[in-house]
Amino acid sequence: MIEIKFAVPEPLLRDLEAIAESEGWKLAELNRIVWERGFAAYAEGSNKRLVNRKMRGATDSKEEG
């Protein structure tokens, strides 16, 4: 495993701690899920931008020809 350190706003951390406690989760488990889902959302957006760029490139080349 690799340890990653990052900073979050204190109110966000307090909310996360409250959710973890109410759900019966360890804070580390909830942190992992939040990080993983956040990364998934970023990757999805990144993939959409890539597809969009490729489609626009294909359209641009057809218009030029």
Side-chain angles (χ1 to χ4, degrees):
M1 282 241 180
I2 297 173
E3 183 178 337
I4 299 173
K5 295 181 181 184
F6 58 95
V8 296
E10 189 172 346
L12 181 61
L13 178 62
R14 298 292 165 244
D15 289 346
L16 191 60
E17 290 171 336
I19 291 169
E21 184 178 331
S22 70
E23 296 286 329
W25 290 60
K26 293 180 181 176
L27 186 57
E29 293 170 318
L30 198 57
N31 280 329
R32 181 187 56 80
I33 290 169
V34 168
W35 192 90
E36 182 181 296
R37 294 218 176 151
F39 178 75
Y42 172 80
E44 181 181 343
S46 179
N47 287 339
K48 286 179 181 179
R49 287 187 295 276
L50 178 62
V51 168
N52 192 354
R53 262 187 256 129
K54 286 185 176 184
M55 289 179 70
R56 285 185 180 183
T59 303
D60 291 345
S61 63
K62 287 180 185 177
E63 289 175 2
E64 291 173 4

